[in-house]
Amino acid sequence: MHIEKNMFENIFNTVMDVKGKTKDNIKARLDIALYCNRKNMELVYDESRVAKPRASFVLEKNAQLLVYKWLKSLRFLDGHASNISRLVNIDDCRLYGMKSHDCHVFMQTPIPLAFRDLLPKGIWDALTEISHFFRDICSSKLNVDHIERLQTNIVETLCKLEMIFPPSFFDSMEHLPIHLPFEAKAGGPVQYRWMYPFERYLFNLKKKVKNKAHVEASICEAYIVEEISTFISYYFEPHLRTRINRVPRHDDGGEVSSSGNLSIFSNTGRPTPKNAVRGRYLSEIEFKQAHNYVLFNCDELRPFIQ
């Protein structure tokens, strides 16, 4: 979990040239002059000034703005990830408040899409391979033969990254992915071993703190009150709304008669507040997506699809 987070931060901050967080800094360029044969990445001394040539793995300013604007408009499925667009600051060209799960989702899905047409093909291929490695190693079903292929491929992928990024990019954290296939083979799917559920639960416990002078007492008291109220709610009348029988978040009130219309329009909906979103027309792509959704989710059309 934290391996993936640190790998994502190092890759993203270096490619986007985030000030203070990139691994491609002045000290890294000095190391290149000592240990590497990359003349195009060495510092250029001009009288009293020192210039740092832009590396091939670093995006230009215009390309960085395109990536941040794309992230600002990015939307995920409900429950798949948090709203990453809230973490994007286009003016500062930075991401603020990225959690471990946000890095997990970003590493496995948007990384290949964000840099596809902006980086050279060799660099993009290496980043796509490391993204697919974490996606495959986090799969809910693992095959022994596939794990062995991952064990071989991750070594080659890290060698490609060593040919791209400066030596300062690599520390112990970049070496640890080599051991993940063995852990998956010995311990099974990672979903039963990672810390995401525990961190979410600890977050809920921390929200119960009211008296910061007695943190433990506040958490214990709030937890006991919650358990007692949940237990007592089992004896309430069925028509009373409690935590046990409350309406789900996406339930808008059941179904209504379609009145001769298609069955997909039998679900009720909630009106959008006037100040929530402005009215607009659907784009051609959005119109086609809505049209296909209606076609493939109508009971009346299933005989024709089959």
Side-chain angles (χ1 to χ4, degrees):
M1 183 180 78
H2 293 96
I3 298 175
E4 190 175 24
K5 178 180 183 296
N6 292 330
M7 283 286 294
F8 164 75
E9 290 180 343
N10 289 342
I11 291 175
F12 187 84
N13 292 331
T14 303
V15 173
M16 301 299 289
D17 197 21
V18 179
K19 185 178 180 181
K21 292 185 177 293
T22 178
K23 296 291 186 177
D24 184 32
N25 48 33
I26 298 296
K27 293 183 178 180
R29 294 302 179 94
L30 293 175
D31 291 340
I32 289 177
L34 290 175
Y35 305 114
C36 302
N37 186 17
R38 304 184 193 180
K39 299 297 182 181
N40 59 333
M41 292 182 60
E42 294 182 5
L43 296 176
V44 178
Y45 297 91
D46 183 13
E47 296 180 356
S48 60
R49 296 185 302 174
V50 178
K52 186 181 75 170
R54 188 179 66 85
S56 58
F57 53 81
V58 176
L59 296 182
E60 296 180 353
K61 191 66 176 180
N62 294 335
Q64 295 177 18
L65 290 175
L66 288 176
V67 173
Y68 284 114
K69 289 179 179 179
W70 178 72
L71 292 176
K72 193 69 176 179
S73 62
L74 189 61
R75 297 292 184 273
F76 290 101
L77 297 176
D78 182 71
H80 178 71
S82 62
N83 188 4
I84 295 181
S85 62
R86 296 181 301 178
L87 312 177
V88 180
N89 190 317
I90 298 179
D91 297 332
D92 297 342
C93 288
R94 296 190 69 168
L95 294 177
Y96 291 100
M98 289 284 286
K99 304 296 184 183
S100 298
H101 191 265
D102 298 329
C103 298
H104 163 73
V105 174
F106 205 111
M107 186 70 182
Q108 298 187 13
T109 310
I111 277 283
L113 301 177
F115 302 139
R116 179 169 185 174
D117 297 327
L118 304 177
L119 289 174
K121 187 178 185 304
I123 300 176
W124 179 81
D125 288 340
L127 297 183
T128 303
E129 289 178 9
I130 193 68
S131 174
H132 289 177
F133 168 79
F134 282 107
R135 185 193 63 187
D136 295 341
I137 206 69
C138 294
S139 176
S140 58
K141 294 182 180 180
L142 297 174
N143 185 280
V144 176
D145 296 334
H146 185 55
I147 294 177
E148 293 177 354
R149 286 198 301 270
L150 291 177
Q151 180 73 63
T152 303
N153 294 339
I154 186 59
V155 177
E156 298 177 358
T157 302
L158 292 180
C159 290
K160 293 179 182 179
L161 293 178
E162 289 181 357
M163 298 173 63
I164 297 171
F165 294 107
S168 60
F169 179 87
F170 297 91
D171 51 22
S172 60
M173 194 58 63
E174 273 64 37
H175 171 75
L176 292 179
I178 296 178
H179 303 285
L180 294 181
F182 173 77
E183 290 186 7
K185 186 186 296 185
V190 70
Q191 285 83 2
Y192 305 103
R193 295 179 284 114
W194 59 18
M195 289 293 295
Y196 293 126
F198 305 100
E199 289 190 350
R200 291 194 189 100
Y201 190 66
L202 289 175
F203 174 73
N204 293 330
L205 292 179
K206 290 179 181 179
K207 289 193 298 184
K208 302 180 186 300
V209 176
K210 302 301 180 182
N211 185 359
K212 294 186 178 180
H214 302 281
V215 176
E216 297 83 359
S218 299
I219 293 177
C220 294
E221 184 177 354
Y223 182 82
I224 293 174
V225 171
E226 182 179 353
E227 286 291 313
I228 293 174
S229 61
T230 303
F231 175 76
I232 294 176
S233 62
Y234 281 98
Y235 297 91
F236 289 169
E237 295 294 332
H239 65 276
L240 294 177
R241 188 66 56 84
T242 63
R243 292 182 58 191
I244 301 171
N245 60 359
R246 63 185 175 188
V247 179
R249 184 162 62 97
H250 297 292
D251 190 346
D252 293 326
E255 297 183 354
V256 296
S257 176
S258 57
S259 302
N261 298 324
L262 297 176
S263 59
I264 194 173
F265 300 112
S266 61
N267 295 322
T268 59
R270 286 175 287 186
T272 303
K274 293 183 179 180
N275 58 352
V277 63
R278 296 180 180 178
R280 67 177 182 87
Y281 293 100
L282 295 178
S283 64
E284 185 176 355
I285 296 178
E286 292 173 335
F287 178 79
K288 289 182 179 180
Q289 290 174 344
H291 183 262
N292 292 334
Y293 180 83
V294 172
L295 289 179
F296 290 104
N297 290 274
C298 280
D299 296 334
E300 293 83 355
L301 297 177
R302 288 188 178 180
F304 300 96
I305 296 176
Q306 294 176 354

